[in-house]
Amino acid sequence: AKEAKEAKEAKEAKEAPPKRDKDKEGGKKEGKKREEPAAADKAAAEREKLLKKVIKEGGKKGVEIEGAADMGGLEFFCTTLESPEGDVGLLEASMTAMNAEPDPDAEDRKGCSGRVGKMIFSAGVQQLAMVAYVPAGSAEKVLLADWLHHVCAAVQGEVASPPAAAESPDGGLVASAVVKANADAGKFPLKDK
């Protein structure tokens, strides 16, 4: 009888699902959960670092444009930026940095070119991003929508965002466009830039 009982228990043990160590499994699950947020946190940190770099580049370029405008009566200017790498959102952040009021307490002067209309370009692998800005004081001389459409027609671009109020102490309008890469047709963002 005792042997029959032991055989029955052994059979049940074989058929029953293996017992799991909840502490070990919980640790594994938590480990996976911890890895996912860590990757997301890392990506967010890298995006923020890139945004700071883009804003810094835009601010410095704004000072250069202001200097050129002061020396020669410049009202409109076209230039390129490298850091946004074809990202329209980052290029728009650069434009905002170019137009910003300078911080009097800052070590370096940044921005300052809100009174100058400009179109900036940034080439990436997938597309060429363009952002155009016309200050309120120059709106009668150049219509932003016409300027952007004219440039888009020359490079087969398409408007990404229509004219809207610009974040600038000088007011005005800002709009963006993109030119998609097409290797089969020989269209490369670096060439269109």
Side-chain angles (χ1 to χ4, degrees), residues 152-163:
C152 283
V155 293
Q156 294 95 34
E158 45 191 63
V159 174
S161 64

Side-chain angles (χ1 to χ4, degrees), residues 75-79 95 116-121 130-135 138 141-155 159 163 173-175 177:
E75 290 184 70
F76 293 92
F77 194 81
C78 293
T79 190
M95 180 67 80
V116 179
K118 54 192 133 325
M119 187 174 293
I120 55 177
F121 305 86
M130 302 181 283
V131 176
Y133 163 75
V134 174
S138 300
K141 293 180 182 180
V142 174
L143 296 175
L144 177 62
D146 291 348
W147 186 20
L148 192 59
H149 284 291
H150 180 77
V151 173
C152 283
V155 293
V159 174
L173 298 172
V174 66

Side-chain angles (χ1 to χ4, degrees), residues 18-31:
K19 290 185 178 179
R20 297 181 182 172
D21 188 347
K22 291 181 182 176
D23 291 336
K24 287 183 182 177
E25 284 184 9
K28 288 180 186 176
K29 287 181 182 176
E30 286 179 22

Side-chain angles (χ1 to χ4, degrees), residues 53-96:
K53 182 179 177 183
V54 164
I55 290 171
K56 182 176 180 179
E57 182 183 14
K60 286 185 173 192
K61 193 71 81 165
V63 171
E64 291 173 16
I65 293 170
E66 178 201 31
D70 287 346
M71 289 176 32
L74 181 72
E75 290 184 70
F76 293 92
F77 194 81
C78 293
T79 190
T80 61
L81 295 171
E82 299 298 322
S83 298
E85 295 181 355
D87 184 305
V88 175
L90 292 175
L91 195 59
E92 288 171 343
S94 291
M95 180 67 80
T96 300

